[in-house]
Amino acid sequence: TILSPSDAISMKACLYDYIANPRPVYLRISKNSAGEVYKEGEKFSINEPNLVISNNSEIVVISTASMSATIKKIISDNNILVDMIDVICLDQSSINTFHNNIGQYRKIIVIEEHMNQTGLSSKISNLITTFNLDVRMKSYGTNICFDENTGDRDFYLKKNSIDLDSLFKILKDSE
């Protein structure tokens, strides 16, 4: 099981879930706090994707980990009229549970801080083809590349065009 909590509240829920249900778990822990996705006491699922923002849009943004907090803030602060889904459990079986939900959208935008080829984007793409969904998908994440240029998290976000300015433009242009 791969758990990728998006904020402190979902991190706490992941830990409590693991204590209650011991099993092999890979827990992705973000080094930074990008903000809040869930409020204390709010109901959400660790094992199924969560609709975090609903604007009754034909476009949905799907993200995971601290990127979800960043995306939620951009959408909310700028009144961008898209829906948003946060994914905590990255197992394909958990992602497959919401094929009916994403089938209602005409466009899916997946944004993650991981490689598109092996991360959430690949799992959503697999879901679309497995269930033959009639939807367009665009993904943003890191690319497989190794070079001599190194830097901190912000350097890599900017290099892969998933920094705050780029994300704002992606989301605004998606409406």
Side-chain angles (χ1 to χ4, degrees), residues 60 62 102 106-110 112 116 120-128 134-140:
V60 64
I62 303 174
I102 66 168
R106 70 175 172 79
K107 184 176 182 183
I108 297 172
I109 301 168
V110 181
E112 61 183 318
N116 291 331
L120 180 60
S121 295
S122 67
K123 293 179 184 305
I124 300 296
S125 177
N126 186 42
L127 172 79
I128 291 168
D134 184 22
V135 62
R136 288 185 354 209
M137 183 183 116
K138 178 74 176 160
S139 63
Y140 299 89

Side-chain angles (χ1 to χ4, degrees), residues 4 23 49 53 68 70 76 78 80 84 105 122 129 131 150 160:
S4 189
R23 65 202 182 280
I53 295 176
S68 288
T70 301
S76 298
N78 297 286
I80 298 172
M84 181 192 156
Y105 296 101
S122 67
T129 56
F131 292 97
T150 60
N160 288 282

Side-chain angles (χ1 to χ4, degrees), residues 1-5 8-27 44-48 88-91 94:
T1 301
I2 302 169
L3 299 178
S4 189
I9 294 187
S10 57
M11 170 62 84
K12 187 163 62 170
C14 288
L15 291 172
Y16 285 138
D17 180 70
Y18 173 74
I19 291 167
N21 306 294
R23 65 202 182 280
V25 171
Y26 173 68
L27 183 61
F44 61 92
S45 174
I46 293 170
N47 297 312
E48 293 181 14
I88 296 172
C89 183
L90 297 174
D91 293 351
S94 293

